Amino acid sequence: MSCKLSVDLIGTHPSVTTHANRAAIRRGPMLYCLESMDNERYDEGVVHYAREALDKQVRLNRKLPQVPVFETQYDPAFFDGAVIIRTEDAAGLPLTAIPYPYWNNRSRGTMDIWIAYDYAASKEGWDNKLYRKIKQD
């Protein structure tokens, strides 16, 4: 069976100030996360994994471009098979997102769901929802 599921950015209600100007990646009903072992940071040619970064804010403030381009790929070798999402951050560095249930099963490290992303949040139209799809321009 094959289903075509879109990749969307999800934002939280504007009253959730801890997640202001942040977005999560979702494909169908599944949230995705960025695990440190997949997302390297380059600093003057040296690779730093997120868990080894000297400045935690560098990892937390990786930013998505205004209109991210997502590529999905089924990887049969990833556990029993999973769809991996790849994109680039605003600086053009690669980002790899894995399904949330699989994090912390391959090595020790950090994980992020909420990625910096600038969008206009409005308190209108939430209809008792805590999160919703972000409309991209």
Side-chain angles (χ1 to χ4, degrees), residues 55-68:
D55 185 356
K56 181 179 178 182
Q57 293 306 312
V58 170
R59 175 177 59 84
L60 294 177
N61 290 318
R62 285 188 83 177
K63 190 174 191 175
L64 286 170
Q66 215 38 54
V67 183

Side-chain angles (χ1 to χ4, degrees), residues 55-96:
D55 185 356
K56 181 179 178 182
Q57 293 306 312
V58 170
R59 175 177 59 84
L60 294 177
N61 290 318
R62 285 188 83 177
K63 190 174 191 175
L64 286 170
Q66 215 38 54
V67 183
V69 176
F70 297 107
E71 296 175 12
T72 59
Q73 178 184 0
Y74 177 74
D75 184 351
F78 193 89
F79 294 95
D80 288 333
V83 174
I84 308 300
I85 298 174
R86 290 186 173 80
T87 189
E88 292 183 345
D89 66 12
L93 297 172
L95 288 175
T96 299

Side-chain angles (χ1 to χ4, degrees), residues 8-14 22-24 26 114 119-127 129-135:
D8 301 310
L9 293 178
I10 303 300
T12 61
H13 190 281
R22 296 199 172 277
R26 181 180 75 182
W114 299 100
Y119 65 98
S122 168
K123 288 195 176 186
E124 295 180 21
W126 280 90
D127 302 323
K129 295 179 185 174
L130 184 58
Y131 62 89
R132 69 178 178 191
K133 179 179 171 181
I134 296 172
K135 294 178 183 171

